[in-house]
Amino acid sequence: MFLLSVIISVPVFFLPFVILNFVAECNEEKIEKVFLNFLLQLKNHTKINNDIIYAFSEVKTMEPLQSYIRKFLVEISSGIKFENAMKNLKDKINNEQIKMFLGNLEYCYLYGGNFSELIEKSYKVINNMMREKARRIEETRSARIVLFILIFLDIVVYMSFIKSNPDNYLIMRKNIIGNMILYWNFISMWILVWISTRVKKLDY
């Protein structure tokens, strides 16, 4: 059944992209979880010394953010301009609010300003945004669970009532309506997978 094989196998070609996207999302979530603490540390250090590079060097946080900061400091110490090192740091982070904050730090560094006040105001804004995101995750969780259950049921129907029963499988293969049922079973499964990814994006 060539067409059925195509329906099942073609989406698998996108699996590497799905895996990369999943890894990127995991890294983003790790950064978000520690970022508010990172901001508090920055604020405390900039109160002692209004020097953002000094504050970055004193902050202790979790991976992968700590590695990004370490790379940023290495670039600064090797003579790379602050704005170029900051651009490289922003390119590693896939969060618009955090990128905006880093852009504000860059502006404050280049044109002067009180880092502690900037960080305190940014903390309030980012904290509110993260609370809103957490609320949306809770709202969409039940919808994603339902979609995953439907995907699981699609697989169970195929394996239990079609694939494991030679008579049913033969009818499905030889009958036009049976073919349509088979095709739709797998097409609907991929549609549900796609819908679940769209629902996930509502969190943002």
Side-chain angles (χ1 to χ4, degrees), residues 8-72:
I8 296 172
S9 61
V10 166
V12 177
F13 287 114
F14 297 97
L15 187 60
F17 301 100
V18 173
I19 293 173
L20 289 174
N21 187 60
F22 176 76
V23 172
E25 287 183 359
C26 288
N27 284 335
E28 183 179 346
E29 289 176 2
K30 289 178 182 177
I31 291 173
E32 288 179 357
K33 286 179 181 178
V34 300
F35 196 73
L36 291 177
N37 177 265
F38 168 75
L39 289 179
L40 288 176
Q41 291 187 62
L42 276 186
K43 184 180 74 171
N44 293 335
H45 289 302
T46 51
K47 280 184 176 179
I48 298 171
N49 183 356
N50 192 43
D51 182 348
I52 195 62
I53 296 177
Y54 161 79
F56 267 76
S57 66
E58 292 296 315
V59 164
K60 304 299 179 186
T61 186
M62 303 290 288
E63 297 293 347
L65 185 57
Q66 187 68 57
S67 295
Y68 298 162
I69 294 170
R70 193 180 302 117
K71 177 66 175 177
F72 167 81

Side-chain angles (χ1 to χ4, degrees), residues 53 56-57 63-82 84-90 92:
I53 296 177
F56 267 76
S57 66
E63 297 293 347
L65 185 57
Q66 187 68 57
S67 295
Y68 298 162
I69 294 170
R70 193 180 302 117
K71 177 66 175 177
F72 167 81
L73 293 171
V74 168
E75 291 179 352
I76 292 292
S77 63
S78 64
I80 294 177
K81 290 184 178 180
F82 181 89
N84 293 334
M86 184 60 74
K87 179 181 181 301
N88 294 336
L89 176 59
K90 287 188 288 186
K92 294 181 178 71

Side-chain angles (χ1 to χ4, degrees), residues 42-198:
L42 276 186
K43 184 180 74 171
N44 293 335
H45 289 302
T46 51
K47 280 184 176 179
I48 298 171
N49 183 356
N50 192 43
D51 182 348
I52 195 62
I53 296 177
Y54 161 79
F56 267 76
S57 66
E58 292 296 315
V59 164
K60 304 299 179 186
T61 186
M62 303 290 288
E63 297 293 347
L65 185 57
Q66 187 68 57
S67 295
Y68 298 162
I69 294 170
R70 193 180 302 117
K71 177 66 175 177
F72 167 81
L73 293 171
V74 168
E75 291 179 352
I76 292 292
S77 63
S78 64
I80 294 177
K81 290 184 178 180
F82 181 89
E83 53 268 36
N84 293 334
M86 184 60 74
K87 179 181 181 301
N88 294 336
L89 176 59
K90 287 188 288 186
D91 289 342
K92 294 181 178 71
I93 297 174
N94 189 31
N95 182 293
E96 292 304 318
Q97 286 75 39
I98 296 176
K99 284 185 176 183
M100 187 179 298
F101 165 73
L102 295 175
N104 290 335
L105 282 186
E106 179 183 346
Y107 186 89
C108 193
Y109 178 87
L110 295 175
Y111 301 102
N114 189 306
F115 287 108
S116 181
E117 290 182 5
L118 169 64
I119 294 167
E120 186 171 358
K121 293 177 181 178
S122 299
Y123 178 91
K124 294 177 181 178
V125 173
I126 294 175
N127 185 38
N128 288 336
M129 288 181 174
M130 288 188 176
R131 285 175 181 241
E132 176 64 18
K133 180 178 178 179
R135 185 184 66 81
R136 292 185 181 181
I137 289 174
E138 286 299 319
E139 290 178 349
T140 59
R141 180 172 295 160
S142 58
R144 290 199 296 270
I145 290 173
V146 170
L147 289 170
F148 291 139
I149 290 174
L150 291 174
I151 293 170
F152 175 74
L153 290 176
D154 266 348
I155 296 173
V156 168
V157 168
Y158 176 74
M159 298 302 296
S160 300
F161 300 100
I162 300 175
K163 187 66 175 177
S164 63
N165 190 312
D167 293 332
N168 289 344
Y169 188 62
L170 184 62
I171 292 172
M172 291 294 180
R173 289 186 59 184
K174 300 299 182 181
N175 188 283
I176 295 178
I177 297 177
N179 284 341
M180 293 176 64
I181 293 173
L182 277 178
Y183 299 153
W184 176 247
N185 184 70
F186 286 97
I187 291 173
S188 64
M189 186 173 66
W190 292 121
I191 290 174
L192 290 171
V193 171
W194 177 78
I195 292 175
S196 67
T197 61
R198 303 307 299 176

